[in-house]
Amino acid sequence: MAQGKRPDVDGLAALCAWSGLDADDFVRSEGDDRPQAEPLAMISTYLRSDRNLSPESAAALEEIIKITYERLRQKD
């Protein structure tokens, strides 16, 4: 990749597994107008995939963040 080459599917899968990143973040197509994920959904995904948190801890953090987000977000 540093030499301007693109990885094959297996290489991309290995890189994503190693880094914990989502392959969709690296794949684009012409006219890619996919809607952005909601911030709370993204946060929830990251919390639930964190190996340092138990499922109960992730759910507790998610609830705290959700309540705080809803309270502080600007309403149009």
Side-chain angles (χ1 to χ4, degrees):
M1 289 174 60
Q3 298 170 345
K5 297 180 181 179
R6 298 185 330 177
D8 61 7
V9 173
D10 292 332
L12 180 61
L15 286 170
C16 290
W18 172 78
S19 66
L21 299 172
D22 188 2
D24 286 340
D25 293 338
F26 301 98
V27 179
R28 294 186 196 158
S29 62
E30 293 293 323
D32 192 1
D33 57 353
R34 291 181 291 172
Q36 292 289 335
E38 291 293 323
L40 288 176
M42 292 171 51
I43 291 169
S44 175
T45 300
Y46 288 130
L47 289 173
R48 293 178 186 277
S49 66
D50 187 338
R51 294 180 181 150
N52 297 308
L53 295 173
S54 68
E56 295 80 17
S57 296
L61 281 171
E62 182 181 357
E63 188 65 24
I64 291 167
I65 292 168
K66 180 181 176 184
I67 291 167
T68 305
Y69 180 84
E70 292 296 328
R71 182 168 182 170
L72 297 176
R73 75 180 180 141
Q74 296 177 356
K75 303 213 184 225
D76 293 336

